[in-house]
Amino acid sequence: MRTTSGRRALATLAALAAGTALLTGCGSDDDGEAADGTITLRVGTYGSFGFDDKTGAKLYAEYERSHPKIKIVESNVSDGQKYWDTLKLRLSRNSGLADVQAIEVGYIAEATSPTMANKWVDLSKNGGSDIGAFLDWKVKQATTPDGAVIGLGTDIGPMAVCYNKDLFAKAGLPTDREQVGKLWAGDWGKFLQAGKDYQKKAPKGTFFHDSASGLFNAVVNSEPVQYADEKGQLIWETSPGVKKAWNTAVAAAQSGITAKLRQFDEKGTWNAGFKNSKFATVACPSWMTGIIKDQAGPSNQGKWDIAAPPVAGNWGGSFLAVPKSGKHTKEAAELAAWLTAPTQAAKVFKVNGNIPSAKDTLTSTEVTGAKMPYFGDTPVGQIYANAAAGIRPAPISRYDGQVKTFVTDNGILDIEQRGTDPAKAWDNVRKLIDDKIDQ
C-alpha cells in the first residue's frame, strides 16, 4: 500500500495530467464566431444534466431552432471532482473556459467566495432570468457576499432508494415499493440489515448495494449537520452527520453487502454494474434516475423501481454559471437563463428525472404527475416532489466538495476495496485534508 505522501504526489500528478487533457479536449481561445456571424456557445458539464440531444430533453436543438445564429457544443465528463479541479485551473488562467459552466452544489460556496466571485457574470442583472422563480435557499447558495448571483439552479437532489425488482424477488425480498420502503423506514441501520438479508439468498455474483462511498453520501446528506457549521466554517472532523455516515458506510463495507464500486469511475465499471445487474440498490437522488436509464439500458427497462429512503435528504443539485472572460457573455447568459427556466426544467425532469429548482415547477402537475417510461407506472414525479417538499438544506462551506472526495475516495474506498483499517483510513483522510485545505 502506498504511503500517504506517495499517494498525494501521485494524485497531484494525475490531477495535473487530467486537467491538461481536459483543457485540450474542451474549450477554446477563439471567439467562437463563424464568418456568417454564427456564434458557437460551449457548455461545460459533468454527469447527466439532460439538456443534450442524444438521451436528454433535446434542449440544445430546440434553442438552436429559435436562435439560428447560435450553435451549442456540450463537453461532458463523468468525474465531478476532476471537472471542478480543471475548471479552477482554467479560471486561474482565463483560458480554455466554456461559455457556460456547470457548478455542483458542493463547490458553489467556493465559487462565490471572495477569491473567485469576480470571475463570474452576475446573472441577476444579465440574461433575463427570473431569479424569484427559484427556491430561495437555492438562490442564496449562489449569491456572493456582494449580492451577485453567479449561478442559476438547474436542479436539486431529493433522495429515494432505487432498487432492482428482479433481484429483490430472487433474494426473497418484497418488490412492492411501499413494502420495500418499510424495510428500512426511519433508520439507516435497517437498510444495512436489509442488505444482510438480501445477501443470504442473493443471486450469484450480486450485491445489495453498489458502493459504500455512495452510501456515505446518502447518509451525510440526510443529516442536518454535515461538513460545515452555521457560519460556513469547516467542522467535518467533529460533525455528528459525518461520523454517522462514516460508521454506516464502514459497516456496509465490512459486512460484504456492497459491490465495492466507485461511483462515476472513468473505466465505466460502475456504469457496467447497472447493465449487468451487479447490485440491487443505489441511493437515488432524483438525478440518478437518468443515469439508471442510460446505463442499465433497454434490456433492463421496467426492472427498476423507486422507494422512500430511510431518512429524507438532499444529495446534489447544480447551477449554470457564465465566466466573465468569455467572448460572448451576453449570449451565454441568455442561454443559461433559458436552460434553467421552469418550462425547460420540466422537460428535463420528464426525460432525465432531474427535479427542478424552480418553485412553481416543483408543484406543477407537469412534475407531480410525471412518470418516466423506463420506470413503468412508478409515480416518479410524486415521489420526488414529496421528497423535495421536506428538504431543509444544511450549511455548506467552500471546502465541502473537496472534503467529500477525500472522505469517500481516500477513506471509505480504501476500506471497501483494500481492507484498510477504518482508524487508519480516517487518519489518512485527516492528513490529506490538513495538507490540501488551507482554512
Side-chain angles (χ1 to χ4, degrees):
M1 183 175 179
R2 299 189 188 103
T3 64
T4 302
S5 59
R7 185 164 57 212
R8 279 202 304 267
L10 286 174
T12 301
L13 289 172
L16 288 173
T20 302
L22 286 171
L23 280 167
T24 58
C26 168
S28 172
D29 290 326
D30 64 31
D31 62 9
E33 187 167 347
D36 65 355
T38 299
I39 293 172
T40 296
L41 294 178
R42 295 176 173 83
V43 180
T45 64
Y46 54 89
S48 180
F49 275 72
F51 302 147
D52 65 280
D53 300 331
K54 185 177 180 181
T55 62
K58 298 179 173 55
L59 295 187
Y60 296 144
E62 181 180 346
Y63 194 80
E64 289 172 344
R65 285 194 297 271
S66 61
H67 297 74
K69 289 295 185 179
I70 298 290
K71 178 183 178 183
I72 303 169
V73 177
E74 181 185 76
S75 294
N76 176 272
V77 297
S78 60
D79 191 311
Q81 180 64 55
K82 287 185 178 179
Y83 168 88
W84 178 245
D85 289 342
T86 304
L87 176 54
K88 287 200 297 182
L89 180 61
R90 292 173 179 166
L91 285 168
S92 69
R93 295 176 174 177
N94 282 329
S95 174
L97 288 157
D99 297 284
V100 178
Q101 297 277 181
I103 302 175
E104 202 266 343
V105 65
Y107 307 104
I108 194 65
E110 186 173 5
T112 58
S113 68
T115 58
M116 202 178 291
N118 65 352
K119 298 284 187 179
W120 310 101
V121 170
D122 182 355
L123 296 175
S124 68
K125 299 178 179 178
N126 298 274
S129 178
D130 179 8
I131 300 299
F134 297 94
L135 292 165
D136 294 341
W137 59 264
K138 189 77 173 177
V139 175
K140 184 179 179 180
Q141 288 177 333
T143 301
T144 71
D146 293 333
V149 179
I150 63 99
L152 302 177
T154 57
D155 64 317
I156 54 179
M159 282 200 302
V161 173
C162 291
Y163 64 100
N164 187 306
K165 292 184 289 186
D166 280 12
L167 293 181
F168 264 48
K170 291 174 181 177
L173 295 181
T175 58
D176 174 78
R177 72 183 68 90
E178 298 295 332
Q179 294 301 314
V180 169
K182 289 178 181 178
L183 290 176
W184 49 65
D187 188 351
W188 287 104
K190 292 180 181 178
F191 186 78
L192 297 180
Q193 183 57 53
K196 295 174 183 177
D197 293 340
Y198 174 88
Q199 294 302 151
K200 292 175 183 177
K201 298 181 180 179
K204 186 177 180 180
T206 73
F207 298 88
F208 177 68
H209 201 58
D210 67 320
S211 159
S213 54
L215 181 59
F216 171 89
N217 285 325
V219 177
V220 78
N221 282 298
S222 68
E223 289 293 308
V225 179
Q226 299 173 15
Y227 304 103
D229 62 19
E230 290 289 345
K231 296 180 180 179
Q233 298 299 309
L234 198 61
I235 57 162
W236 76 276
E237 199 168 352
T238 58
S239 164
V242 170
K243 288 184 177 180
K244 181 176 181 178
W246 174 273
N247 291 337
T248 303
V250 168
Q254 294 184 327
S255 64
I257 66 172
T258 72
K260 301 181 179 181
L261 299 174
R262 179 183 179 274
Q263 293 185 333
F264 310 104
D265 68 301
E266 292 181 317
K267 294 181 179 179
T269 307
W270 180 66
N271 288 340
F274 286 107
K275 189 178 297 292
N276 300 325
S277 297
K278 182 78 172 179
F279 45 82
T281 67
V282 60
C284 207
S286 51
W287 47 262
M288 187 69 78
T289 56
I291 292 172
I292 294 172
K293 171 179 68 71
D294 292 344
Q295 300 306 329
S299 63
N300 289 301
Q301 183 166 340
K303 294 182 180 179
W304 284 84
D305 208 330
I306 307 171
V311 182
N314 184 77
W315 175 2
S318 300
F319 304 82
L320 294 185
V322 175
K324 280 185 179 178
S325 59
K327 301 295 194 301
H328 302 286
T329 56
K330 176 180 180 294
E331 292 84 357
E334 290 171 352
L335 174 60
W338 186 84
L339 288 171
T340 56
T343 299
Q344 282 64 254
K347 293 175 182 177
V348 170
F349 173 70
K350 287 181 179 179
V351 174
N352 214 57
N354 296 23
I355 278 282
S357 56
K359 289 179 280 193
D360 291 344
T361 314
L362 268 175
T363 57
S364 70
T365 55
E366 288 181 297
V367 170
T368 58
K371 295 180 180 179
M372 296 177 66
Y374 196 83
F375 290 85
D377 290 332
T378 302
V380 178
Q382 180 183 342
I383 290 171
Y384 283 112
N386 289 344
I391 290 175
R392 298 292 181 270
I396 58 176
S397 81
R398 58 181 295 191
Y399 306 108
D400 282 17
Q402 292 173 273
V403 172
K404 176 183 72 174
T405 297
F406 287 136
V407 172
T408 55
D409 290 4
N410 301 96
I412 300 298
L413 204 63
D414 272 2
I415 297 169
E416 187 175 37
Q417 294 187 348
R418 302 177 183 87
T420 304
D421 178 75
K424 183 177 181 181
W426 181 269
D427 190 52
N428 288 342
V429 170
R430 183 192 298 111
K431 290 176 180 176
L432 278 168
I433 293 174
D434 288 346
D435 181 55
K436 295 293 185 180
I437 295 179
D438 182 20
Q439 293 194 79

